[in-house]
Amino acid sequence: MVPHLRTALTGPLLDLERRLLDALPRIEHWLRGQWQKHTPPFYTSTDLRNSGFKLAPIDTNLFPGGFNNLNPAFLPQCIQAAMVAIEKICPDARNLLLIPENHTRNLFYLQNVAQLAIILRQTGLNVRIGSLLPEIEAPTPLSLPNGTTLLLEPLKRTKTRLGLEDFDPCAILLNNDLSAGVPEILTGLSEQLLIPPLHAGWVVRRKSNHFAAYDEIATAFGAELGIDPWLINPAFSVCRRVNFQERRGEECLADNVAAVLDIVHEKYREYDIDEKPFVIVKADAGTYGMGVMTVHDASEIVGLNRKQRNKMSVIKEGLEVSDVLVQEGVHTRERVGDGVAEPVVYMIDRYVVGGFYRVNAARGVDENLNAPGMHFEPLAFETSCLCPDVCQNPDAPPNRFYAYGVIARLAALAASVELTRSAPEVEDGEETSTLKIPA
């Protein structure tokens, strides 16, 4: 069943959802046309925030790690979407190598890997899992909390191909976001398809590039539907070469915070919104909710204490933060039980395949929920994100979830644009540039 949601529903969001429902044929036609121009990522997950007056994405992950949290009833949708994605990329694929993250002690993440393997196997693929960990020197079974076992195997590299002992895959699917960089074993694979491409990893990818692309998509979508794109689009700015430990870049950061807050203040006045604007300051690369803080005034950026500087200076894999995104904060008015909640929508190819709520009772409506104390409601989406019911109110579950699915698809479309723009140049079948971190 769907967890009980307590959502403060005020005028603009209900109006937005009603307009999405009324424009359903136009939306689906517009999206279909966009996917003819842009290749969707193999899979994505998008974190959304519903403020009661605004519904917007706040993050898009190109290596989603929560397939174990999806409603089991949507497994057929996942399989069908994966079939489409595989046929589009490599129609003759028979063997697929899945490469996960290195944190083998996170058993819940490993359940995600196991569920992803189940989805892929049911598309007709032989799926085996190869580990980048040097200590995996022989097939290593790992027991999972749900009673199943996951087998990790050591990778075997030849000059141009990567596989396992007695296993030569047609394609390689990464469920590893490459935060620590691109391992040498993954480079120079000229005979196999790597999904997603290496430049989708955080060694190259920047959130600011994604939201720049999303800004364009939201503007075009708003023009198509006749809505203010701000209702689905968080304002943002970016500050480069920040060093929290040495207090370098504080003025740049404070100026950017002030600029974004000014935009939000003006929009709140326009829509007569009685809320206190805030921004989220976060690392421009990386996941897991690391390097994130809520700021209500630019003065809070100057003179951060040691604890705050330590929190902001390092992200996953111990990497130092230098590029910082200043993103309009979107309040969340959704609650599951006693916890503040935000929806997370999963896609394979261009299809919404499910979602769940991230819930955190220890956090407020203006804070990052991807933090200690969070849990997931795996049965959150009882009905499909693609099956609204126009006979019900806009906030009825199938209609609310349809709105979520529309915004998630816009984010996936932005990710497609982002990946195209960041791809290494190719000339005569060979790359003419190597992976570089954007300046």
Side-chain angles (χ1 to χ4, degrees):
M1 60 179 292
V2 179
H4 177 61
L5 302 178
R6 290 185 282 122
T7 308
L9 299 174
T10 54
L13 183 62
L14 281 177
D15 180 62
L16 171 64
E17 291 177 322
R18 170 53 64 193
R19 295 177 79 167
L20 293 179
L21 289 173
D22 291 344
L24 187 151
R26 192 190 315 170
I27 290 171
E28 299 305 324
H29 178 266
W30 186 85
L31 285 169
R32 189 164 62 248
Q34 294 300 310
W35 290 127
Q36 291 174 2
K37 304 173 187 175
H38 305 285
T39 302
F42 183 83
Y43 51 13
T44 60
S45 67
T46 301
D47 297 351
L48 304 177
R49 299 280 281 213
N50 170 4
S51 67
F53 54 84
K54 180 167 185 164
L55 176 62
I58 57 171
D59 216 351
T60 300
N61 189 354
L62 299 182
F63 302 87
F67 280 93
N68 55 310
N69 293 319
L70 298 183
N71 187 332
F74 288 139
L75 180 60
Q77 287 182 236
C78 293
I79 295 168
Q80 187 174 30
M83 282 181 176
V84 172
I86 293 294
E87 288 172 4
K88 187 182 299 182
I89 295 169
C90 186
D92 296 326
R94 176 174 296 180
N95 297 334
L96 183 137
L97 176 63
L98 176 58
I99 299 181
E101 296 277 359
N102 289 341
H103 38 63
T104 55
R105 288 182 292 182
N106 187 336
L107 297 182
F108 292 104
Y109 167 73
L110 293 179
Q111 286 187 172
N112 153 76
V113 176
Q115 184 65 18
L116 186 53
I118 288 172
I119 293 169
L120 295 167
R121 286 182 181 122
Q122 294 194 57
T123 69
L125 292 169
N126 299 314
V127 180
R128 286 166 66 176
I129 301 164
S131 175
L132 291 167
L133 288 169
E135 58 264 33
I136 301 294
E137 298 178 344
T140 304
L142 300 175
S143 298
L144 304 181
N146 62 3
T148 62
T149 300
L150 189 70
L151 184 67
L152 298 184
E153 300 184 67
L155 295 169
K156 301 288 185 182
R157 175 67 192 255
T158 63
K159 185 176 180 180
T160 58
R161 298 185 71 84
L162 181 65
L164 308 173
E165 187 70 34
D166 299 322
F167 187 73
D168 184 24
C170 314
I172 300 167
L173 179 64
L174 293 176
N175 198 241
N176 183 312
D177 64 19
L178 307 177
S179 290
V182 177
E184 186 177 353
I185 199 171
L186 294 180
T187 62
L189 298 173
S190 61
E191 298 179 0
Q192 291 167 301
L193 194 62
L194 200 59
I195 314 166
L198 294 178
H199 65 274
W202 288 119
V203 66
V204 170
R205 191 175 184 231
R206 293 295 178 267
K207 297 174 185 178
S208 53
N209 291 338
H210 173 74
F211 283 101
Y214 183 81
D215 181 72
E216 296 174 20
I217 296 298
T219 299
F221 182 77
E224 177 70 20
L225 266 65
I227 62 172
D228 182 352
W230 177 77
L231 294 172
I232 59 171
N233 184 20
F236 77 95
S237 184
V238 64
C239 196
R240 308 290 188 193
R241 297 178 177 85
V242 173
N243 188 311
F244 285 99
Q245 293 292 7
E246 298 179 6
R247 297 186 181 278
R248 288 205 312 267
E250 280 188 348
E251 289 186 6
C252 169
L253 204 49
D255 289 345
N256 278 274
V257 167
V260 175
L261 283 174
D262 284 345
I263 294 172
V264 181
H265 273 291
E266 183 60 35
K267 281 296 183 179
Y268 279 19
R269 282 193 292 268
E270 179 183 340
Y271 285 96
D272 195 24
I273 295 168
D274 186 21
E275 294 282 1
K276 185 175 183 179
F278 68 101
V279 300
I280 297 295
V281 176
K282 55 186 175 183
D284 201 20
T287 54
Y288 289 9
M290 302 178 72
V292 181
M293 67 184 296
T294 299
V295 178
H296 295 89
D297 190 273
S299 62
E300 299 172 28
I301 287 296
V302 180
L304 296 177
N305 61 40
R306 178 176 294 181
K307 181 178 179 181
Q308 290 171 316
R309 297 201 309 274
N310 288 340
K311 173 186 174 183
M312 293 299 299
S313 63
V314 177
I315 55 173
K316 182 183 173 187
E317 304 289 354
L319 300 180
E320 184 176 311
V321 173
S322 61
D323 298 347
V324 177
L325 184 75
V326 179
Q327 186 180 63
E328 173 189 351
V330 182
H331 303 80
T332 179
R333 295 303 181 190
E334 298 201 73
R335 302 184 71 89
V336 175
D338 295 327
V340 175
E342 64 187 16
V344 183
V345 178
Y346 270 57
M347 293 183 61
I348 297 177
D349 197 79
R350 61 190 179 97
Y351 303 100
V352 175
V353 296
F356 51 84
Y357 280 90
R358 178 184 287 113
V359 186
N360 197 325
R363 292 291 174 123
V365 298
D366 60 354
E367 293 183 287
N368 169 40
L369 303 188
N370 189 2
M374 72 174 173
H375 72 278
F376 304 107
E377 293 288 344
L379 299 180
F381 290 101
E382 186 178 60
T383 56
S384 170
C385 293
L386 296 176
C387 298
D389 185 349
V390 295
C391 295
Q392 298 190 56
N393 291 330
D395 59 322
N399 298 335
R400 171 66 36 86
F401 297 163
Y402 176 71
Y404 291 164
V406 169
I407 304 305
R409 285 185 283 169
L410 295 179
L413 184 57
S416 174
V417 173
E418 169 200 359
L419 288 176
T420 298
R421 291 176 177 171
S422 62
E425 296 180 5
V426 176
E427 186 174 300
D428 296 329
E430 295 184 2
E431 291 184 3
T432 60
S433 62
T434 56
L435 294 173
K436 296 180 181 178
I437 296 177

